[in-house]
Amino acid sequence: MLRGAAVRLLRGGGGGVGTLRAASGTAAAQLRRRLENELEDIRGAGTWKSERIIASRQGPHLRLDGGGAGILNFCANNYLGLSSHPEVIRAAVEALEKFGAGLSSVRFICGTQSIHKDLEEKIARFHQREDAILYASCFDANAGIFEALLTLEDAVLSDELNHASIIDGIRLCKANKYRYKHMDMQDLEAKLQDAQKHRLRLVATDGAFSMDGDIAPLKEICQLAQKYDALVFIDECHATGFLGPNGRGTDELLGVMDKVTIINSTLGKALGGAAGGYTTGPKPLIDLLRQRSRPYLFSNSLPPAVVGCASKALDLLMESNAIAQSMAAKTQRFRSKMTAAGFTISGKDHPICPVMLGDARLAAVMAEDMLNRGIYVIGFSYPVVPKGKARIRVQISAVHSDEDIDRCVEAFTEVGRKHGALP
Ligand code: PLP
């Protein structure tokens, strides 16, 4: 990260800059050239990520900065529509008023309030686990768990398509690393056999994979884990709150809640969408994370308003399974209508519905044309997904109406025909 003088030099402003520029002008100019070249390479490779600016609350209907109103949004992880739920917003305001803007501290120094402990207890109860620990994000939870848990004597076996934060978390630990082919149980078994020589084996997988909308074969993973005496870790960012009869996640959906040892998940998607992440599992593990996990030890506590949002989202989910259930019918409607229209939708039964197009340019042009028709979707291409597997990822939310979904399918059909993706 660039700091202090370097930042001022790059921006070319601020007091006393003349002297600083004289002192390190060459280095700053070199850096600027290098950064500009790198940025040009990204543009040239067609992988530049631009950001659209939303001028309204997050929800199925958006207003974009610069005028676009009434845009139908199909690209947020707002699976249950709780990001703008009135009770969630009210809970945030109440927490803000009662507990303040923030803690100005890490948890173990001066940063734990009663609401943090209440939320951790609620998360553990929701997942039927012994305890839970909050992080500023699930990225942090993933960055902090492997290093704290595993040593040189241990092994971690990771699906090759796991989320970047799991990959980074594993990089930080000293354990022996095995990468098994995506959801390939033969390969996992071979790697587990090889890993028998290590003290402890941990299989790590996303519960649901965000690029393909496919769900990890947890039953089979847990059977192999039992056979080879391994533990199972799942990242439930794209499952918590809506997969399974009560929205507990992939482990509930596949009937293995008692077989998965560790769950990491986010508060920044279905559970209110504000921010935050957590680990839930055996109490001694959570106790150890509080002592050793670096993103927990050295980063600020979650702000009260954020805690308030997640806490209310969990209350709503634990009161009734109606919200969790509301997802499935909408997803089914979109998937079956798109398939009938002639599109290939990757994955199965998951609100992440990747419309497979193959060609990167086609995905980009179609996504742009969808927005011209008031439908906000995003095209993904290499390096985010493998070459030749470009797609437009559609994400269904429980608060999309049937009419919203039908409008989306109609627009896809028109745009698909126009650009040759459909006959
Ligand atoms: N794990 C998975 C599978 C994700 O999709 C994401 C977010 O994109 C994360 C972890 C990180 O979650 P957070 O946004 O809470 O850092």
Side-chain angles (χ1 to χ4, degrees), residues 195-404:
Q196 288 305 292
K197 55 189 179 242
H198 304 299
R199 177 182 66 177
L200 183 150
R201 287 149 295 286
L202 179 69
V203 181
T205 180
D206 280 10
F209 290 84
S210 63
M211 281 301 137
D212 290 298
D214 48 359
I215 293 171
L218 272 192
K219 212 176 215 144
E220 292 76 8
I221 289 174
C222 290
Q223 278 163 1
L224 283 176
Q226 203 158 0
K227 184 168 170 189
Y228 293 99
D229 193 21
L231 300 170
V232 177
F233 160 99
I234 55 176
D235 174 326
E236 288 281 87
C237 284
H238 295 279
T240 300
F242 58 93
L243 285 190
N246 300 295
R248 275 12 178 207
T250 319
D251 56 343
E252 188 194 33
L253 178 76
L254 300 175
V256 289
M257 281 185 89
D258 57 338
K259 305 254 172 357
V260 170
T261 307
I262 307 165
I263 294 174
N264 275 10
S265 193
T266 185
L267 305 172
K269 301 191 194 299
L271 298 185
Y278 58 85
T279 297
T280 184
K283 184 159 183 355
L285 168 68
I286 305 302
D287 287 345
L288 183 77
L289 292 173
R290 288 192 206 282
Q291 302 305 313
R292 292 263 173 81
S293 182
R294 293 167 68 82
Y296 178 83
L297 287 170
F298 301 113
S299 188
N300 213 25
S301 307
L302 270 188
V306 169
V307 175
C309 287
S311 192
K312 178 51 75 176
L314 283 169
D315 288 345
L316 294 171
L317 284 168
M318 288 197 277
E319 269 164 25
S320 144
N321 69 354
I323 301 182
Q325 294 282 335
S326 63
M327 237 356 298
K330 305 278 165 67
T331 299
Q332 175 58 22
R333 186 179 186 94
F334 181 79
R335 284 180 169 272
S336 62
K337 288 201 163 200
M338 284 292 282
T339 307
F343 286 105
T344 303
I345 310 297
S346 172
K348 189 171 164 278
D349 299 335
H350 194 282
I352 292 173
C353 305
V355 182
M356 303 306 287
L357 297 167
D359 183 69
R361 201 158 296 279
L362 178 65
V365 170
M366 274 183 64
E368 200 57 45
D369 224 357
M370 289 291 285
L371 190 60
N372 294 335
R373 286 163 168 75
I375 313 280
Y376 185 12
V377 287
I378 295 284
F380 288 92
S381 53
Y382 182 80
V384 181
V385 295
K387 276 191 177 136
K389 296 252 171 108
R391 67 202 60 185
I392 291 178
R393 187 174 73 171
V394 173
Q395 288 171 283
I396 306 295
S397 168
V399 286
H400 282 127
S401 67
D402 286 351
E403 292 72 38
D404 293 339

